[in-house]
Amino acid sequence: MGGNAIDPIVAGVLEIPIQPGTEDTKFEYSHWSSLPTNVTGPQNIIAQYDTYYRVQFLNGDNVIVNTQWIIKDGSAVNPILSQEIEIPEKTSDVKYHYGFLRWVEDFSVITGPLDVTSEYSH
């Protein structure tokens, strides 16, 4: 009695806990809620998770051209500026030839799954 709690993962007693996600949200183990010191009775420690959201960038034909998993409140990266993709296109029609202008949605603070669409001039 009176000893310090040990991290059961570090000690090899438990495997890293897994929390199921969805197709557009993932959870990754981060740490325990607390590891008490001077334990004199039963204690609960709760696994804490980082939340990641799927951010998809779509071209003018609504085709996904880039996917990123971003930690909650983090920022996605413009895939054109990071050179992950070429400038996205939109299929021309008889009347217009389209040129990429910008991404429509703000992806600087991600608070949930997001589809980022593109805007075009003609």
Side-chain angles (χ1 to χ4, degrees):
M1 297 240 311
N4 295 337
I6 60 165
D7 184 325
I9 294 172
V10 173
V13 177
L14 290 177
E15 292 186 18
I16 294 175
I18 297 172
Q19 180 174 342
T22 64
E23 67 181 24
D24 56 9
T25 305
K26 294 192 305 187
F27 304 98
E28 187 175 295
Y29 168 77
S30 172
H31 61 280
W32 295 108
S33 56
S34 66
L35 287 174
T37 57
N38 195 25
V39 178
T40 58
Q43 298 280 324
N44 290 323
I45 60 172
I46 301 169
Q48 302 295 299
Y49 297 87
D50 290 328
T51 304
Y52 290 83
Y53 296 115
R54 183 177 66 190
V55 177
Q56 299 180 130
F57 291 80
L58 292 85
N59 70 11
D61 298 318
N62 289 321
V63 174
I64 299 166
V65 294
N66 182 263
T67 300
Q68 301 173 28
W69 286 93
I70 307 299
I71 194 166
K72 182 181 178 192
D73 296 325
S75 298
V77 176
N78 183 330
I80 299 169
L81 298 178
S82 65
Q83 300 180 342
E84 293 179 50
I85 64 168
E86 301 282 327
I87 294 175
E89 297 181 356
K90 179 177 181 174
T91 304
S92 297
D93 57 31
V94 174
K95 192 172 182 180
Y96 298 110
H97 176 75
Y98 298 96
F100 177 81
L101 289 175
R102 65 183 184 98
W103 299 112
V104 177
E105 289 76 18
D106 178 14
F107 48 91
S108 62
V109 179
I110 303 303
T111 58
L114 179 65
D115 287 343
V116 182
T117 57
S118 46
E119 183 177 359
Y120 294 81
S121 64
H122 57 276

